[in-house]
Amino acid sequence: MTKPMVVMLFIQLHLTAMLSIFTVRILEVTSLAHWEAILLDCVLEMLLVWVYLKGLSRFPGKNMIEIISETTGTWLVRLILLPFAVFLFFHLTLLNRYQIFKINVVLLQDTPLWAITLIYMALPLYAACKGFSVILRISAALFIFYIPFVLFSLFISAHNFDFHNIFPIWDPKMTFLAQPTYYSSLISFSGFLFLGMLSLDKPFKPSRLMLVMIILAFFYLSTVYVPLLIFSEEVAITFQYPNVLASDTIDLEWVVFDWLPTFSVVSSTGLGILEAATTLWTATTLIKKLFLPINEVWIASGLTLAMFLLSMLVRNSSDLNHFLLMNSIPGIYSMLVLPLAVALSGLWKRRASA
Amino acid sequence: MKRRIIPRLLLAFCLPCLLSGCWDIKDINKRYLPVVMGICDGKTETYHVTLQVPTVTGTTQILEQEAKSISKALDLIRTKSEKHVDLLHLRLILISEKMAEKGIDDIIDYAIRADDISIKGMVAIVTGDFQKALHHQVGPTPEVSSYDYFSEEAGWTPNVSLVRLWEAYKVSRSYTQDTAIPLVEAGTDTLYEFRGSAIMRNSKMVGTLTPDETLINNIFSEKYTGGTIETAEDASILIKKATVRHRIKWGDSGPQLNSKLHLDIEVSENKQGLSNQEITEEIKTSIEKRGANIIDKLHTLKADVLGIGQLFKPKMTVAQLKEWKERWYPKLQSKIEVEINIRNNIYLKDKLRENNLRM
């Protein structure tokens, strides 16, 4: 487990999130000055990551569960982390379902959903059972193979940009803050939570990750602005998958590029499987350490089965949307409480030792 | 250890079965791959859908059906056809003029929504006999596909306007843009004859631009170069490069636009031996006049084909944006100024006649 590999995974988890529901959410919450909403999200995540890493750095070689339980005791830590476990479980189910709906619409129209779901479950299960170091190695391989495709499918349509569509660029009232949907877009920034599960001997320096996150902020901006610059705001709002359609606006005569949405969907699917593996591993470790001390293979298999059955119950996209909104409540809770709890434990430890 | 390998291998072999996507498999020789779809008013039903399928022998097979909706018509075509009809390679949608006058919103919406039609396909409107245009076949060059006419990599020229499905969808919902869709008719020696463009206002055809006007329109939207312009005095020029600079102002009376069009041209024909100076003057006045005419025409039709609203986006609030086509565009005051730079006279020199006199 090396740090560059962790950074690669960190980047890819964010890319997955931004390529799935993020663009639609941001387009929904405001009709002007989208960058305000996006950058506010980014700054908030930077702040949380900084607090999280500062807290973790006081406890080398320990993970977040051990850190919090050291100060609070077993029962309280179970209570604090229960919403996190709930969030992970539903996050996995719903984002998988989102990807599967997308594959069904764009690529495999006749394949039954359960068959796609089965693959989507089998690969993450295998990776999660093998442990975190395997996930990291997969992520390093995917990083090299997939990132060019992601960049390609994201920016291929640059030829059709009309920069007038950036306007109106300024929204002094920040009306999006009043929209509950806006807060659910924060879920796309939850990719940093796994950092607490790593038990690193030499913890991350926050400053280095900050640089990575500035680059990521640029990508968050591009995922929203690519469809926006091509179609303009009033049109992009009507699309279910704006990024997929944006990549289809380019006409290349070369036959490989005849159906460009394939690149977009395949790359986001590959990343989606990686994210599912990480989330499943995090959930399995959490449940094993806190609630059920049995072999992780059983826990992971049980979770996967439950997920499979549950995702079959989400039958249409409006239900999915509703559930995603609901799940943002435990999501935002975990994103706020985890870093704070770790940081407070750090402060507590320093006071106790002083 | 050995005992555990067998179930694992079995499990691993199960995955390729899922991965193959057997549900979607259909061999290519079991598919019709139409490249052109024609939509016009049906005799008894709402739509009459025609598909042109290129065949291996070089001829074109025609599939037709009438129904209340486009997807139902396609469904009926699929029912009666021997092979699976796959729209993945559909590149051109032809719409009859009558249909376009009623509005093409429903057709464009269908094409964008459909998961098997690529949104980069092109749209054109057929004037004159619609059935003749679709059933038309040109004998000696069987490999000609009717969408080559519009392909930038094949037979397209800057006289023709070019609108893709996603652009048509964009302008049908946009607050600040309209578009001009190419207008074609069944040709005599080629597949299509270009008849100008249809001015669309909120996806209804409200008027036409002649081929000459379309060229000027294309120059003003800075898209296309390479077209030939004739002047009254027996000279022709080729446009090599066109750049437009817009100055926008939002005064008390509403939006004001000053456009400066800079053209780099070549003189390709000069029957009376005019000097470059004279040609410059002539082209300048002629384009300024034609430009002003088009702008007047678009103004009276309230159709912002040039996308001037886009230019004013920085100056408008969201409320003003929504009112652009109705309220502000008719109030727009615009001025055009043309600057001409004659790059060269190709292989000949300037002032041929004077040179001759000296000899």
Side-chain angles (χ1 to χ4, degrees):
Chain A
M1 198 191 302
T2 61
K3 276 184 193 166
M5 283 166 118
V6 178
V7 172
M8 279 182 205
L9 183 62
F10 182 82
I11 292 174
Q12 288 180 89
L13 291 183
H14 283 82
L15 281 177
T16 321
M18 70 179 79
L19 286 175
S20 54
I21 200 87
F22 180 69
T23 314
V24 180
R25 283 275 184 276
I26 291 291
L27 286 173
E28 271 170 8
V29 294
T30 175
S31 63
L32 65 164
H34 300 81
W35 61 272
E36 289 175 4
I38 303 165
L39 287 187
L40 197 70
D41 273 350
C42 289
V43 169
L44 198 64
E45 195 205 350
M46 280 183 173
L47 214 70
L48 290 170
V49 171
W50 191 79
V51 171
Y52 203 28
L53 289 179
K54 273 282 165 200
L56 287 171
S57 67
R58 292 192 201 283
F59 302 90
K62 280 186 183 166
N63 66 26
M64 149 212 104
I65 304 167
E66 292 157 357
I67 295 169
I68 301 176
S69 66
E70 212 170 79
T71 31
T72 57
T74 331
W75 277 103
L76 205 54
V77 76
R78 276 180 194 163
L79 203 66
I80 290 173
L81 292 182
L82 186 66
F84 183 43
V86 171
F87 164 67
L88 286 175
F89 177 70
F90 285 104
H91 187 61
L92 188 50
T93 317
L94 298 172
L95 277 191
N96 275 356
R97 199 64 180 160
Y98 179 83
Q99 297 276 8
I100 286 157
F101 276 144
K102 187 154 124 184
I103 295 172
N104 182 246
V105 165
V106 185
L107 283 184
L108 306 169
Q109 279 109 8
D110 296 331
T111 309
L113 293 177
W114 62 262
I116 312 172
T117 317
L118 217 56
I119 290 203
Y120 233 98
M121 295 293 160
L123 296 176
L125 174 64
Y126 180 73
C129 291
K130 283 283 169 190
F132 191 66
S133 51
V134 165
I135 296 178
L136 272 185
R137 263 176 264 148
I138 300 170
S139 104
L142 281 184
F143 192 82
I144 296 160
F145 288 124
Y146 270 77
I147 296 300
F149 284 121
V150 173
L151 297 182
F152 174 79
S153 64
L154 196 58
F155 294 111
I156 180 74
S157 45
H159 176 70
N160 290 326
F161 286 178
D162 180 354
F163 284 97
H164 291 111
N165 287 329
I166 258 184
F167 298 100
I169 203 162
W170 182 243
D171 178 12
K173 285 183 208 147
M174 300 241 230
T175 38
F176 57 86
L177 286 175
Q179 301 248 19
T181 323
Y182 173 64
Y183 298 96
S184 81
S185 75
L186 267 175
I187 297 306
S188 300
F189 294 84
S190 63
F192 70 92
L193 288 172
F194 82 98
L195 290 174
M197 307 294 286
L198 298 187
S199 339
L200 291 173
D201 287 330
K202 281 184 193 162
F204 266 103
K205 283 202 186 91
S207 56
R208 219 177 267 169
L209 264 190
M210 290 300 132
L211 190 72
V212 173
M213 288 170 66
I214 289 169
I215 298 169
L216 280 175
F218 166 74
F219 281 107
Y220 274 103
L221 283 172
S222 355
T223 43
V224 176
Y225 272 94
V226 164
L228 202 66
L229 288 180
I230 294 175
F231 296 112
S232 81
E233 192 273 330
E234 61 266 32
V235 181
I237 189 92
T238 60
F239 295 140
Q240 184 80 19
Y241 307 107
N243 293 99
V244 177
L245 282 183
S247 69
D248 196 17
T249 58
I250 284 290
D251 190 4
L252 295 174
E253 283 276 295
W254 201 16
V255 75
V256 187
F257 300 122
D258 203 47
W259 194 240
L260 281 168
T262 322
F263 285 85
S264 173
V265 174
V266 169
S267 52
S268 68
T269 308
L271 290 174
I273 287 178
L274 184 68
E275 203 221 11
T278 317
T279 316
L280 186 60
W281 174 80
T282 316
T284 311
T285 320
L286 193 73
I287 289 172
K288 187 186 175 186
K289 294 234 161 105
L290 279 183
F291 305 104
L292 260 182
I294 54 171
N295 189 353
E296 58 263 279
V297 176
W298 290 111
I299 301 175
S301 316
L303 280 179
T304 314
L305 192 69
M307 244 173 288
F308 180 77
L309 296 176
L310 203 69
S311 77
M312 289 333 287
L313 290 179
V314 183
R315 303 182 72 96
N316 58 46
S317 52
S318 68
D319 278 359
L320 178 69
N321 220 355
H322 178 69
F323 290 136
L324 275 168
L325 279 179
M326 300 261 287
N327 194 39
S328 58
I329 297 165
I332 291 167
Y333 167 88
S334 334
M335 284 174 70
L336 293 176
V337 167
L338 259 58
L340 284 179
V342 171
L344 287 176
S345 309
L347 283 179
W348 184 266
K349 183 191 171 196
R350 199 168 63 172
R351 188 171 293 171
S353 62
Chain B
M1 200 60 210
K2 242 180 193 171
R3 261 187 300 148
R4 294 179 74 182
I5 278 177
I6 293 165
R8 277 179 195 189
L9 275 178
L10 279 177
L11 202 69
F13 278 120
C14 285
L15 287 178
C17 298
L18 285 172
L19 276 171
S20 68
C22 284
W23 290 273
D24 285 277
I25 198 86
K26 237 159 216 158
D27 281 329
I28 194 153
N29 54 346
K30 299 277 187 283
R31 290 171 189 239
Y32 282 133
L33 297 164
V35 286
V36 180
M37 182 194 276
I39 301 170
C40 65
D41 283 305
K43 286 192 188 79
T44 51
E45 306 278 0
T46 327
Y47 300 100
H48 180 105
V49 176
T50 316
L51 294 176
Q52 283 187 4
V53 188
T55 57
V56 196
T57 50
T59 53
T60 306
Q61 187 176 355
I62 305 277
L63 302 166
E64 285 177 287
Q65 188 62 50
E66 277 189 14
K68 280 207 176 59
S69 69
I70 303 169
S71 37
K72 184 67 195 171
L74 288 172
D75 197 41
L76 291 172
I77 290 177
R78 287 197 174 109
T79 314
K80 69 179 181 186
S81 77
E82 310 82 5
K83 296 178 183 179
H84 178 72
V85 178
D86 197 336
L87 299 178
L88 273 175
H89 291 273
L90 195 74
R91 276 296 180 277
L92 177 62
I93 294 190
L94 294 171
I95 301 167
S96 74
E97 195 178 0
K98 228 168 142 196
M99 199 115 218
E101 277 162 2
K102 278 191 277 178
I104 57 169
D105 249 346
D106 44 350
I107 299 172
I108 301 294
D109 271 11
Y110 160 75
I112 296 286
R113 188 192 300 265
D115 49 11
D116 50 355
I117 298 178
S118 171
I119 61 169
K120 57 179 178 266
M122 278 163 284
V123 193
I125 292 171
V126 176
T127 173
D129 190 347
F130 188 77
Q131 292 308 326
K132 193 184 156 204
L134 274 170
H135 291 265
H136 194 47
Q137 301 220 6
V138 184
T141 46
E143 82 279 12
V144 166
S145 138
S146 39
Y147 98 91
D148 275 347
Y149 182 81
F150 295 95
S151 171
E152 275 168 292
E153 278 85 4
W156 178 83
T157 70
N159 297 310
V160 182
S161 41
L162 193 67
V163 175
R164 294 176 184 281
L165 274 172
W166 66 270
E167 286 170 315
Y169 180 77
K170 177 174 84 171
V171 296
S172 75
R173 286 173 189 260
S174 169
Y175 299 141
T176 47
Q177 281 179 86
D178 286 303
T179 192
I181 294 181
L183 202 62
V184 294
E185 197 180 349
T188 45
D189 46 355
T190 54
L191 279 174
Y192 301 117
E193 207 64 58
F194 185 61
R195 290 277 175 257
S197 355
I199 303 170
M200 308 298 287
R201 180 184 143 73
N202 298 333
S203 33
K204 276 200 183 81
M205 179 175 164
V206 290
T208 51
L209 291 174
T210 62
D212 263 353
E213 286 173 328
T214 307
L215 177 63
I216 302 282
N217 181 38
N218 283 347
I219 294 170
F220 271 100
S221 28
E222 227 180 1
K223 276 183 192 163
Y224 315 119
T225 51
T228 308
I229 292 185
E230 295 158 338
T231 67
E233 299 288 332
D234 289 335
S236 293
I237 54 143
L238 265 177
I239 297 167
K240 292 310 240 184
K241 192 180 153 205
T243 39
V244 188
R245 246 182 252 133
H246 299 289
R247 278 234 176 121
I248 53 164
K249 214 175 120 190
W250 196 284
D252 298 329
S253 58
Q256 291 165 8
L257 176 73
N258 279 322
S259 318
K260 213 175 230 178
L261 172 66
H262 187 93
L263 290 179
D264 274 9
I265 59 172
E266 274 175 357
V267 179
S268 59
E269 258 179 83
N270 192 353
K271 290 179 197 162
Q272 296 187 4
L274 297 173
S275 72
N276 282 1
Q277 182 81 40
E278 288 166 301
I279 294 176
T280 308
E281 282 300 313
E282 205 178 307
I283 299 284
K284 183 176 147 69
T285 43
S286 135
I287 293 183
E288 275 175 4
K289 212 174 112 197
R290 286 196 227 177
N293 277 347
I294 295 175
I295 286 178
D296 278 350
K297 191 174 184 179
L298 296 176
H299 255 259
T300 42
L301 292 172
K302 283 190 184 177
D304 189 0
V305 168
L306 290 166
I308 294 167
Q310 288 289 91
L311 303 172
F312 281 96
K313 266 195 164 179
K315 300 258 179 200
M316 287 194 279
T317 61
V318 177
Q320 281 172 323
L321 271 176
K322 287 181 184 166
E323 288 181 325
W324 169 258
K325 282 188 196 172
E326 280 304 321
R327 188 164 162 205
W328 299 110
Y329 180 63
K331 283 189 185 170
L332 173 78
Q333 297 168 327
S334 57
K335 236 194 242 164
I336 299 171
E337 207 181 304
V338 181
E339 267 177 24
I340 306 277
N341 170 38
I342 299 187
R343 264 196 198 167
N344 54 40
N345 296 293
I346 316 184
Y347 278 125
L348 298 180
K349 282 184 180 168
D350 182 19
K351 295 177 185 163
L352 270 185
R353 190 176 292 164
E354 285 168 38
N355 288 342
N356 286 343
L357 284 176
R358 209 185 299 148
M359 285 194 328

